[in-house]
Amino acid sequence: MPTFTSNDAQINYQTFGDASKPAIVFSNSLGTNFSMWQPQIEFFSQDHFVICYDTRGHGASSAPQGPYTLDQLGQDVVNLLDHLNIEKAAFCGISMGGLTGQWLAIHHANRFSHVVVCNTAAKIGQEQAWSDRAALVREQGLAPIASTAAGRWFTEAFVQSNQAMIAKLSNDLGAGSPEGYASCCEALAKADVREQLKDITVPVLIVAGQQDPVTTVADGEFMQQRITASQLFEINASHISNIEQPEAFNQALQEFVQA
């Protein structure tokens, strides 16, 4: 699988579809890897050049010593586009990837035609809670986090009826890099773009899960009220909405990027 060097990290990525078609980049959530986008890869690679990558510290990307910053997470995406000689792309990120998307829309608007930020917020959670989680993972590894992830990610009904998929996602999390995960927690502890949302000029679609306990519909409304060219789409899902409701997610994303 191809990798490229972005500053101090080796970033694992994969492309799908025809490179002459419009490019769309997908960015994973904390504790996952790019395979979380399988329902979108299958759907969008017909009409798009789909680019997926593992955020630094995740999947098959390297996990250099942290802490990381939101600036680094965003710059990795710009460097990936440069590596692939792509001037402009659409971007879709979920949770941590959604914060990356906001940073890109603020700092590199010229590189993106559309930005989709899903199940995210302009500031996710509290700094101390992220710092505590980073310390826990460095001390005890990822097993304690992996054992409780499903309840944060999905509704109870989805967990009960999709146990094989839940097991794979939990196993992927548990097998990840504790240092990479903790370093991304430290990036999320400091990440706060609330004051910069007003500077965004790229068209933005905000996807908010109606049953998401982590990043709420209210978080989505906060962003929508401050980003001029934005729209809010509520989806009947918890935190990993692209997996829980792939059809509704894909349709909303397709309508937005084609508008």
Side-chain angles (χ1 to χ4, degrees):
M1 218 168 286
T3 63
F4 80 103
T5 303
S6 178
N7 297 318
D8 58 341
Q10 285 291 119
I11 303 295
N12 176 63
Y13 71 94
Q14 193 153 7
T15 63
F16 307 85
D18 183 345
S20 68
K21 292 184 174 175
I24 183 167
V25 182
F26 288 97
S27 181
N28 60 286
S29 62
L30 181 69
T32 63
N33 58 56
F34 81 64
S35 70
M36 73 170 298
W37 295 110
Q38 197 57 43
Q40 287 67 51
I41 292 167
E42 292 169 6
F43 184 85
F44 283 96
S45 57
Q46 304 299 313
D47 299 313
H48 290 81
F49 183 51
V50 174
I51 304 159
C52 294
Y53 74 101
D54 292 330
T55 299
R56 62 170 54 220
H58 287 67
S61 290
S62 67
Q65 189 73 30
Y68 307 154
T69 65
L70 182 58
D71 289 18
Q72 284 178 303
L73 303 185
Q75 192 60 48
D76 288 340
V77 178
V78 176
N79 293 346
L80 175 57
L81 291 181
D82 289 346
H83 175 72
L84 293 170
N85 295 311
I86 292 171
E87 286 183 26
K88 187 167 272 198
F91 179 91
C92 178
I94 192 162
S95 194
M96 174 176 68
L99 252 175
T100 301
Q102 292 170 72
W103 186 92
L104 291 167
I106 292 161
H107 296 282
H108 291 276
N110 62 313
R111 302 300 295 271
F112 297 95
S113 59
H114 303 76
V115 171
V116 184
V117 298
C118 314
N119 303 87
T120 193
K123 176 170 175 55
I124 301 176
Q126 299 304 314
E127 182 171 350
Q128 190 58 52
W130 286 120
S131 300
D132 291 347
R133 190 188 293 193
L136 173 75
V137 167
R138 285 202 175 97
E139 190 177 301
Q140 297 183 22
L142 283 163
I145 302 292
S147 66
T148 57
R152 292 190 297 275
W153 285 350
F154 301 108
T155 60
E156 182 59 30
F158 186 84
V159 171
Q160 291 305 322
S161 56
N162 294 274
Q163 300 212 343
M165 183 187 294
I166 301 300
K168 181 191 182 306
L169 287 161
S170 299
N171 290 340
D172 283 352
L173 172 52
S177 161
E179 177 59 33
Y181 185 100
S183 296
C184 282
C185 288
E186 289 163 335
L188 292 169
K190 300 290 187 189
D192 184 351
V193 299
R194 288 176 292 187
E195 294 301 314
Q196 297 162 289
L197 294 177
K198 66 185 187 307
D199 301 330
I200 294 177
T201 56
V202 185
V204 175
L205 175 66
I206 299 152
V207 178
Q210 293 167 336
Q211 303 187 63
D212 187 345
V214 182
T215 50
T216 62
V217 171
D219 288 319
E221 290 169 340
F222 180 92
M223 292 183 285
Q224 198 268 320
Q225 288 158 8
R226 287 159 180 79
I227 301 171
T228 308
S230 68
Q231 51 189 282
L232 177 65
F233 175 70
E234 293 185 29
I235 192 167
N236 183 20
S238 185
H239 191 58
I240 308 290
S241 62
N242 70 299
I243 292 177
E244 187 157 351
Q245 292 283 0
E247 291 86 4
F249 186 98
N250 290 348
Q251 185 178 350
L253 183 50
Q254 182 181 46
E255 287 176 5
F256 177 68
V257 298
Q258 290 182 346

